[in-house]
Amino acid sequence: MREVPVLLNRWFLRMAREPEEVQRAAAHQLAARARMSASTSFTAYFLQALVLYGHVADRVLWGWLLLLIAAEAVNGLMAVRLARHTAQTGFPAQRRRAVHRLVLTLFCSGSAWGLVCLMPGLHAQNQLFMFNVLFLVVVGVISVHNLCLSWPALVAFNVGLMWPLLVAEAAFPVALPLALVATVVGQMTMVQIYGRTTRHMFLQSMRAHLATEAMAAQLRQKNEDLTQALAVIAEMADLDPLTQCLNRRALMRHLQEPVRHQRFGTCFGIVLLDIDHFKQINDSRGHGVGDQVLVAVADCLRSHLRVQDCLARWGGEEFICLLADADGATVQAMAERLRRALAATAILPPPAELRVTASFGLALCRPGYPLDAVIDQADQAMYRAKNAGRNRVEA
């Protein structure tokens, strides 16, 4: 009896060399097949009971049926418990104990099947006895498919099937003793050969399946990374690298039909502004300070615009704002608000305090108006503000 735990431990050591995913998948499949076998085997043993009816005592037949039903019920319960352990990651010790319990219940279930050969009076009816022997062989053949994922489970079930045959051959005067011994030997040999081969093929397919899933997961992750990278690249291509506003190309795309009407409505305002005396700032304080001025102006404008509005760097020190769903009064009020906010913003902290102003030109884009002409109107209004003394709003 000590050899049984040793064989089980050897099998578990071999399985432990497999990746955790393969072990879990094999145990999960074993539980599913054992549960399916326990829930459907009643068709077989009820058919066998129907054949035996009238040839053995009713009390013996019903006792065998109840024993078999109880054994299969416990077998199904152990399979459910094993499935619950395989549904969780980790816990190899609990999964191993669940397999041990399933092996034990499978031996009991196989023994319940095999006890049909020990029914009183059955051995005297050679044809019926041999029919039941062949029936057990068929059950053992089917178990190769159901239990091949666990060599101890497969062997335990088939040992349970076969040992009553040996007891029957020794205890009762059977007409074909050599045939019974050959059946037992052939059955166990078949279990060894086909069980090992089927398990090896399944594990190979499971490894390939898991490797394919891992590659598919890596490809999905790489596709997601690539999609995110392309989105970042597209966003970077649309943004001015210094001020993080839209660049001119992106703004012109926003102004194309039907995107323009969908975002800004049929009537929207255009505010074009140019920072006053920006060249002097670059010449006197350096281009680094000039860049700080551009960033500060963009931040100031962005903080005072609405969510539905749009800000872009038009070129150099010029910015353009698109005001969605606005009339003339709204555009005028927003431009004045931006002008005052910009004039009150300190670009550099004291003592090197620096404030800048800008000249604003306004235009209103209505349905049917050429967009280029409206932008040109805003540009002309901005130059009128420059000529009128700067830090002004002209429409």
Side-chain angles (χ1 to χ4, degrees):
M1 293 298 294
R2 293 181 179 179
E3 295 180 356
V4 175
V6 172
L7 292 175
L8 286 173
N9 289 331
R10 287 179 181 176
W11 179 80
F12 276 111
L13 287 175
R14 286 198 297 271
M15 285 299 296
R17 300 191 189 103
E18 299 289 345
E20 171 65 16
E21 295 81 1
V22 175
Q23 296 183 48
R24 287 182 60 238
H28 178 74
Q29 285 291 325
L30 173 64
R33 294 182 182 186
R35 185 171 64 247
M36 182 270 297
S37 176
S39 61
T40 59
S41 59
F42 69 91
T43 57
Y45 54 73
F46 271 103
L47 175 62
Q48 192 175 12
L50 185 63
V51 173
L52 291 172
Y53 183 75
H55 298 280
V56 296
D58 292 346
R59 185 173 55 184
V60 173
L61 184 60
W62 281 109
W64 175 74
L65 268 179
L66 291 176
L67 177 64
L68 198 51
I69 291 173
E72 289 293 349
V74 175
N75 185 29
L77 178 62
M78 293 298 104
V80 170
R81 295 185 64 178
L82 177 59
R84 188 164 59 245
H85 285 300
T86 58
Q88 305 171 351
T89 57
F91 304 103
Q94 291 89 330
R95 191 164 63 240
R96 181 172 176 174
R97 286 195 294 269
V99 174
H100 274 294
R101 287 191 290 267
L102 181 61
V103 169
L104 178 61
T105 58
L106 284 169
F107 173 77
C108 296
S109 176
S111 298
W113 280 92
L115 285 176
V116 69
C117 297
L118 297 178
M119 289 184 178
L122 183 64
H123 60 280
Q125 307 177 53
N126 286 335
Q127 291 184 349
L128 186 60
F129 183 82
M130 291 308 298
F131 170 81
N132 283 277
V133 170
L134 293 177
F135 198 92
L136 294 180
V137 171
V138 172
V139 172
V141 171
I142 296 175
S143 72
V144 172
H145 172 267
N146 292 335
L147 304 176
C148 67
L149 300 174
S150 170
W151 180 79
L154 179 62
V155 172
F157 182 77
N158 280 274
V159 168
L161 281 178
M162 294 296 111
W163 73 260
L165 288 178
L166 296 179
V167 174
E169 190 273 333
F172 304 110
V174 182
L176 300 172
L178 294 179
L180 289 182
V181 175
T183 299
V184 174
V185 174
Q187 176 75 5
M188 299 308 298
T189 303
M190 178 187 64
V191 166
Q192 288 288 327
I193 296 175
Y194 291 103
R196 289 176 180 271
T197 303
T198 307
R199 183 177 68 254
H200 179 69
M201 293 175 62
F202 173 82
L203 291 178
Q204 277 190 330
S205 64
M206 181 56 64
R207 294 188 202 102
H209 176 70
L210 292 174
T212 302
E213 283 190 342
M215 291 178 62
Q218 291 179 0
L219 287 176
R220 285 193 299 268
Q221 184 61 44
K222 289 184 180 297
N223 286 334
E224 291 177 1
D225 295 341
L226 181 59
T227 301
Q228 294 177 0
L230 290 176
V232 171
I233 292 173
E235 183 179 358
M236 292 174 61
D238 286 346
L239 295 180
D240 175 63
L242 178 62
T243 62
Q244 297 301 302
C245 299
L246 292 178
N247 55 31
R248 186 165 185 161
R249 180 179 62 85
L251 180 69
M252 295 306 296
R253 190 172 67 251
H254 277 68
L255 290 174
Q256 300 299 317
E257 301 276 2
V259 178
R260 180 177 65 190
H261 288 170
Q262 182 178 358
R263 176 166 182 178
F264 302 111
T266 57
C267 183
F268 61 93
I270 294 179
V271 178
L272 187 61
L273 63 110
D274 183 90
I275 302 175
D276 297 331
H277 306 296
F278 185 74
K279 187 176 183 304
Q280 295 179 11
I281 295 174
N282 274 335
D283 293 342
S284 60
R285 302 204 180 214
H287 289 279
V289 175
D291 290 344
Q292 293 183 42
V293 170
L294 293 173
V295 173
V297 169
D299 291 341
C300 178
L301 296 174
R302 192 185 294 112
S303 65
H304 287 83
L305 289 174
R306 301 169 300 177
V307 176
Q308 65 268 32
D309 298 332
C310 182
L311 174 66
R313 187 178 178 188
W314 193 242
E317 65 273 19
E318 292 182 348
F319 292 85
I320 189 169
C321 307
L322 302 182
L323 308 181
D325 293 318
D327 54 16
T330 303
V331 176
Q332 183 79 28
M334 179 61 77
E336 285 291 346
R337 180 185 176 188
L338 294 176
R339 184 191 65 80
R340 289 193 300 268
L342 185 59
T345 300
I347 306 300
L348 296 177
E353 185 173 351
L354 174 64
R355 297 178 186 271
V356 297
T357 61
S359 301
F360 291 74
L362 313 182
L364 196 63
C365 185
R366 296 185 176 89
Y369 278 55
L371 183 60
D372 293 339
V374 177
I375 296 177
D376 187 59
Q377 290 176 8
D379 188 62
Q380 293 176 18
M382 182 194 68
Y383 277 105
R384 288 199 302 271
K386 289 278 188 184
N387 296 330
R390 296 183 172 86
N391 191 24
R392 295 171 56 87
V393 174
E394 291 286 341

